[in-house]
Amino acid sequence: MTGTQIFERVAILGIGLIGSSVAHVIRANGLAGHVACHDSDADVRARAEALDIVDSMHADIAGAVTGADLVVVATPVGACGLVAEAMRAHLKTGAIVTDVGSVKGSVIAAMSPHIPDGVHLVPGHPVAGTEHSGPESGFAELFQNRFSILTPPPGADADAVATLERLWQGMGADVEIMDAEHHDRVLAITSHLPHLIAYTIVATAADLETELEAQPRDDELVTTREVIKYSAGGFRDFTRIAASDPVMWRDVFLLNKDAVLEMLGRFTEDLTVLQRAIRKDDGDALFEMFSRTRDIRRGVIEARQAGRFQYTENGKPSEDDA
Ligand code: NAP
């Protein structure tokens, strides 16, 4: 699909999975005249240059953002405040600054003090991703038919919001607008908690392996080999999610603490109900809950959010939402 050019110059800060996917699709769809880029990691900069997905690569933030009509901050969320501070003096009047972070409230709190008058902050979050990171993992179709949520702060410039909305639509996404607090509660249950559960279950299995390896072989119930061998069951999907970038997810949990803890509390209560049903041989309760969850999966498929990337064992793309 080829769109109409929306921006003269776009600066992407952080050229990992999301930043490089934005670069790919902007170029593929002709949405900007020039894509400038900065990443704090020299090795990442060299790899992104080799991929030929941006027009100019800059070792400093100033070089990338100077003259940009749109700045897309695509670093881990913990870096957004520092990045905003570093770009502050170099932003053009009338520019739009956005981000792609998985948490919105604390990112807005960290970035807004550094946004000068006349520059428009319109935070965003594409609900699309994979467990891979780095510039090589990006691809132009990542946002196709996925939601991109914009969380403009109260009083945000309506034209800037509309322009960013057009950009995301030009990148293939369906745009939703919501307030940051609502976003963080919704994503805590739909994305952050599932990742936390995946990290936990894989770590629990790893601990079990270690424990069993230390026991005499005759008593062994599960070995490392068996955990991997039988991971074609539900465990396999957990290992894929638990392979997600540790820096990104550390930041997400630290910066969406309240909402994640709230959802974790609710989840723990529901888990206890299931635990009790199993202990009491309450098959009806189990059946009722599993039937309800099956209906939810059908709803996800009907909403076209079931994930449509081809699963590959070692390569990209895979399927995941963040
Ligand atoms: P990624 O592949 O790890 O890319 C992030 C890049 O930013 C890395 O190259 C990193 O360099 C660089 N970086 C770190 N600190 C920086 C700084 N201060 N200045 C400039 N560059 C910096 O991560 P990602 O998956 O693209 O995630 C980026 C953002 O998108 C995160 O905020 C995440 O919450 C959000 N997001 C992710 C997904 C997903 O599924 N992955 C989905 C939606 C939204 P180093 O490698 O040296 O750290």
Side-chain angles (χ1 to χ4, degrees):
M1 180 184 100
T2 303
T4 317
Q5 182 178 313
I6 298 172
F7 295 101
E8 187 52 48
R9 180 182 170 105
V10 171
I12 298 174
L13 309 181
I15 189 87
L17 166 70
I18 302 296
S20 66
S21 295
V22 169
H24 272 291
V25 66
I26 283 182
R27 180 170 277 186
N29 294 355
L31 300 167
H34 182 102
V35 177
C37 177
H38 159 76
D39 193 288
S40 56
D41 187 324
D43 178 53
V44 170
R45 289 199 299 273
R47 282 157 45 208
E49 273 197 290
L51 292 168
D52 189 26
I53 50 176
V54 297
D55 300 298
S56 63
M57 180 61 77
H58 304 264
D60 62 327
I61 287 184
V65 305
T66 300
D69 314 293
L70 173 72
V71 177
V72 182
V73 179
T75 64
V77 282
C80 288
L82 285 174
V83 167
E85 190 175 5
M87 72 168 104
R88 175 185 206 146
H90 311 283
L91 293 168
K92 174 168 127 175
T93 302
I96 300 172
V97 173
T98 190
D99 76 306
V100 294
S102 310
V103 178
K104 299 274 53 93
S106 42
V107 165
I108 293 174
M111 289 182 78
S112 358
H114 306 295
I115 303 299
D117 288 346
V119 173
H120 310 295
L121 176 65
V122 185
H125 174 209
V127 187
T130 75
E131 69 279 21
H132 305 297
S133 0
E136 297 81 5
S137 55
F139 54 103
E141 300 77 20
L142 180 64
F143 310 114
Q144 194 68 44
N145 299 325
R146 311 315 296 262
F147 285 110
S148 184
I149 301 172
L150 300 183
T151 60
D157 183 82
D159 287 344
V161 176
T163 305
L164 199 58
E165 197 169 346
R166 275 205 294 138
L167 177 74
W168 277 110
Q169 287 163 346
M171 295 198 287
D174 296 327
V175 177
E176 293 276 334
I177 309 249
M178 63 176 73
D179 73 67
E181 193 194 341
H182 186 72
H183 167 279
D184 288 353
R185 292 187 78 229
V186 170
L187 270 291
I189 190 68
T190 58
S191 169
H192 306 169
L193 194 59
H195 278 79
L196 193 70
I197 292 165
Y199 282 124
T200 312
I201 199 163
V202 174
T204 304
D207 287 349
L208 180 66
E209 281 169 15
T210 312
E211 208 176 281
L212 290 169
E213 273 166 12
Q215 290 174 7
R217 289 276 157 189
D218 290 351
D219 296 336
E220 204 168 301
L221 294 172
V222 180
T223 68
T224 305
R225 234 166 17 95
E226 279 175 321
V227 167
I228 292 167
K229 185 171 159 189
Y230 299 124
S231 64
F235 188 69
R236 180 182 65 185
D237 287 341
F238 284 118
T239 61
R240 181 179 60 73
I241 296 171
S244 300
D245 190 73
V247 173
M248 170 188 155
W249 284 98
R250 175 202 64 194
D251 287 3
V252 166
F253 291 118
L254 294 180
L255 294 175
N256 199 22
K257 185 177 184 168
D258 292 345
V260 168
L261 290 178
E262 179 199 337
M263 299 310 161
L264 192 57
R266 286 169 177 249
F267 175 77
T268 311
E269 278 174 26
D270 290 344
L271 196 60
T272 308
V273 170
L274 266 190
Q275 191 178 8
R276 187 165 183 271
I278 294 169
R279 185 165 47 79
K280 297 197 133 209
D281 296 317
D282 188 349
D284 289 347
L286 296 175
F287 183 82
E288 194 276 323
M289 183 189 252
F290 301 159
S291 303
R292 218 154 35 95
T293 55
R294 176 188 269 191
D295 289 346
I296 288 168
R297 170 67 184 174
R298 287 184 181 137
V300 170
I301 294 168
E302 276 162 24
R304 297 181 303 134
Q305 297 303 309
R308 75 205 98 251
F309 303 128
Q310 189 70 34
Y311 179 76
T312 56
E313 290 293 337
N314 347 317
K316 58 154 199 191
S318 177
E319 53 177 280
D320 190 13
D321 295 330

